[in-house]
Amino acid sequence: MQYSTEIQSMCPVQRGDLHPSAPIPVEGRMIRPTDVIAISGLSHGVGTCAPQQGAAKLTLNIKKGIIEEALIETIGCSGMTHSASMAAEILTGKTLLEALNTDLVCDAINVAMREIFLQLVYGRSQSAFSEDGLEIGAALEDLGKTQRSQVGTSYATSAKGVRYMELAEGYVTKLALDDNNEVIGYQYLNLGKMMASVEKGVPAEEAMADATGVYGRFNDAVTTINPRNA
């Protein structure tokens, strides 16, 4: 190790007792990590790109410093979806430090990686107080039974009002309006449920009918509109 002339000319001063770093919770244990392999846990991070055109949500399940499971969800940018596919291949099997220094193709995914890193090293993971953490596959629970991301799309103008396009229940096919032209409910298509039925051999029209539902006071509507072209 090299020291500058200024440092070499200084007299040594003894410091007091060296107190260890504060412990952090890691999968049901309180530890003082000194190496990346001490970090385990499942957590989430969200990031945006510089122009904030899109956002990425990253979920990692880490065991002894190694990324064993990765879920990447994106919104708002078509290129980001392809970046996510590449990042999903890149991340698993790497240490948390390697992933932090890996080119994850998209700025939003890189920012999400930074945010999840901070949560994990400060002991703020979702599994901080869960003994032995969460099993590999736990990240898929974010997607639900049909394994589709929770997305919501709503649009409005002052001239023509609001249009719900996709909500938690699914793809909105009709908006229900009352006699004041106010939204009182909607009809939706659960695309995940529909595709699961189609894969089982159910005819598409029947699968679509079975996956269609309504929310709110849809049946009391004075009129209904297609939110995309009316």
Side-chain angles (χ1 to χ4, degrees):
M1 188 178 299
Q2 293 183 336
Y3 294 94
S4 67
T5 303
E6 289 80 4
I7 296 301
Q8 292 181 49
S9 65
M10 290 180 180
C11 65
V13 176
Q14 183 64 39
R15 63 181 175 182
D17 291 337
L18 179 60
H19 297 285
S21 60
I24 65 172
V26 174
E27 296 192 340
R29 298 177 297 115
M30 299 300 292
I31 68 170
R32 292 184 171 91
T34 57
D35 200 313
V36 69
I37 62 172
I39 301 296
S40 294
L42 184 143
S43 197
H44 313 278
V46 175
T48 63
C49 53
Q52 298 191 355
Q53 178 182 348
K57 174 192 169 189
L58 178 60
T59 303
L60 298 181
N61 198 349
I62 295 172
K63 302 294 184 183
K64 297 181 179 179
I66 304 295
I67 297 172
E68 298 290 351
E69 180 183 16
L71 171 66
I72 307 170
E73 301 171 85
T74 68
I75 188 169
C77 175
S78 58
M80 194 184 295
T81 65
H82 293 76
S83 298
S85 66
M86 290 183 277
E89 291 192 50
I90 291 169
L91 284 171
T92 52
K94 281 186 165 54
T95 68
L96 186 58
L97 284 180
E98 284 180 305
L100 189 66
N101 290 280
T102 297
D103 181 5
L104 296 179
V105 187
C106 165
D107 282 347
I109 302 175
N110 275 302
V111 172
M113 183 66 233
R114 180 192 71 198
E115 295 303 313
I116 199 171
F117 174 86
L118 292 174
Q119 291 184 45
L120 287 160
V121 298
Y122 280 102
R124 292 177 173 86
S125 71
Q126 183 174 316
S127 57
F129 299 101
S130 301
E131 187 174 357
D132 296 327
L134 300 175
E135 65 181 1
I136 308 305
L140 284 178
E141 293 179 7
D142 280 14
L143 303 181
K145 293 181 179 179
T146 57
Q147 296 190 356
R148 293 191 76 241
S149 296
Q150 291 291 316
V151 296
T153 306
S154 297
Y155 176 75
T157 62
S158 58
K160 298 297 182 178
V162 73
R163 299 293 190 277
Y164 305 158
M165 296 184 179
E166 187 155 358
L167 298 174
E169 295 80 12
Y171 181 93
V172 177
T173 54
K174 292 180 181 179
L175 288 183
L177 307 180
D178 63 11
D179 50 10
N180 290 323
N181 279 344
E182 295 179 358
V183 178
I184 59 171
Y186 49 85
Q187 181 185 75
Y188 62 86
L189 173 63
N190 187 315
L191 291 172
K193 183 178 179 180
M194 176 184 169
M195 292 309 300
S197 296
V198 170
E199 289 177 358
K200 293 177 181 177
V202 178
E205 289 188 6
E206 182 182 343
M208 182 174 178
D210 290 342
T212 296
V214 297
Y215 182 87
R217 295 187 291 120
F218 183 85
N219 294 328
D220 297 334
V222 173
T223 186
T224 61
I225 63 170
N226 184 320
R228 290 168 179 78
N229 55 30

